[in-house]
Amino acid sequence: MIRHHPDIAWLTDYAAGTLPEAHAVAVQAHLHFCRDCRAQVRRLEKLGSQLLEQSVDGGNTEALLEQTLACLDKVPAAPQQATAPAKTGWDFKVPTGLSRLLPDAPEQLSWKALGRSLKISRLVAGSDKHEVALHHIRAGGKVARHDHGGNELTVVLKGSFSDQLGQYEAGDFIIRDKGEAHSPNAAEHEDCLCLTVVDAPVRFTHPLLRIFNPMLKIHPA
Amino acid sequence: MSALRKRLTATPTPQGHAKGQLLDSCPLEQQDPWNQTLATIATGDRAAFADLFRHFAPRLRAFGAATPMVDSPSAFGDELAQDVMISVWQKASMFDPGKASATTWIFSIARNRRIDLLRKRNRRPEVLMADDMFPDMPDDSADPFTLTQEERLGSHLQDMLDTLPAEQAEVLNHVYVEGKTHSEVAEELGLPLGTVKSRIRLALQKMKVDIEAGWQP
């Protein structure tokens, strides 16, 4: 059961279309799992339609109408399907927004191991500020305790993990702020796959691991 | 945003009634009157398209012109209005009134096209397009509770918007019409982020748009 949702400010910014792409794709991944938030977004879009209805400029639009009618002859009648094709080589149903960023199967991504339990694959999302990545934690695996230089946004795609602050399952949307150190731990019976979006590098808190911190950088792409 | 302005700007619907009157006098008639117009446009009817255009183009133009950081707001307003109306023409046969009303559907096209046009203008990489971030969501309308909420919301939202305190209506307008994030609005108005968030939250709760996840009647 989904227990962690984007708050109403996140959903409002999503529905109004003001979130950066990397954040919007994470919210969409949550909506893929969460019926309650989908209903919330529908209501927020309805509100948007009423605000559009109220914003009117008084100018004449007849000339623009003539121009537009003239264009109608030149545009194709049937629009092309705009979203990416469904990705079927994954062992979970890939949210539509994320489909654009993923290859057909996980083997086609390049994965980087960070310790025994965690491997990461960075995705190209067209972002200049955020690093978008998949984090894979092996069943029962534990990720070293770390803090965050900025915000870390996580959406669980498959499996589950827990940390000092809670337990998270598929669909959960988690924001960790600077100063909220944690050490995620995947459930024993299943690997855990998460979508993450960060705007600053993580920082290991363990004295022996801290020497790696200066080398950790984010790679917005 | 005032009731006066609403009356001044109300234009005849295809049925020849002012929209507010239609909703007030026929509480059972909750359908967006433009739903039928879209169905007619889907058959290739240009007269119906012109009707829809005369109503929505001034709104879409204002929506586009309110966009921050474009060099020529009025030119961008025209560009967006034309672009959205052409998309409406192309996609009219895909419109499903069971999922969203015509006005909500047109709002979502306007939001999406603004995002994509701005990305192009700013020469940012085109990896994730708006249609990727806002795909068609599964039809959850089988849930009778959700449907009732949305129907009720549809008929009262406009009236409730008019009763909002000006400061709450203002921030909603900044977010939806100008397309600014909560943080950008806070910066522009010189308010703490928490104040902007709580104004929006209060407005949404008052209008029953914000219903806590998992809330049961």
Side-chain angles (χ1 to χ4, degrees), chain A residues 13-15 21 35-36 38 40 42-45 50 53-55 57 62 73 82-83 97 100, chain B residues 1 46 54-55 59 61 82 111 119 124 131-134 138 140 143 158 176 182 209 211 214:
Chain A
D13 278 341
Y14 172 80
E21 288 97 337
R35 185 191 184 111
D36 286 335
R38 284 200 297 269
Q40 192 81 285
R42 282 200 186 87
R43 288 189 289 271
L44 287 162
E45 287 178 335
Q50 294 302 317
E53 184 66 29
Q54 287 191 342
S55 79
D57 79 0
E62 288 305 307
D73 296 322
T83 49
R100 178 69 74 193
Chain B
M1 213 40 91
R46 290 182 179 227
R54 290 192 176 98
H55 179 78
R59 289 164 171 81
R61 199 157 68 173
Q82 187 168 56
R111 171 197 62 198
R119 186 190 301 103
R124 298 195 39 237
D131 284 350
D132 294 317
M133 298 179 285
F134 302 96
D140 299 322
D143 180 344
Q158 190 71 58
Y176 275 96
H182 282 56
V209 172
I211 299 169

Side-chain angles (χ1 to χ4, degrees), chain A residues 51-66:
Chain A
L51 291 161
L52 173 68
E53 184 66 29
Q54 287 191 342
S55 79
V56 185
D57 79 0
N60 189 298
T61 49
E62 288 305 307
L64 193 62
L65 172 60
E66 290 310 315

Side-chain angles (χ1 to χ4, degrees), chain A residues 67-77, chain B residues 46 86 89:
Chain A
Q67 274 180 35
T68 309
L69 285 170
C71 291
L72 297 186
D73 296 322
K74 295 169 212 148
V75 297
Chain B
R46 290 182 179 227
I86 290 173
W89 174 259

Side-chain angles (χ1 to χ4, degrees), chain A residues 53-54, chain B residues 1-10 18 20-21 24 158-164 166 169:
Chain A
E53 184 66 29
Q54 287 191 342
Chain B
M1 213 40 91
S2 67
L4 175 68
R5 181 169 162 213
K6 190 181 113 189
R7 273 195 295 277
L8 287 174
T9 55
Q21 285 168 8
D24 290 343
Q158 190 71 58
D159 296 334
M160 287 190 289
L161 263 175
D162 287 333
T163 66
L164 286 183

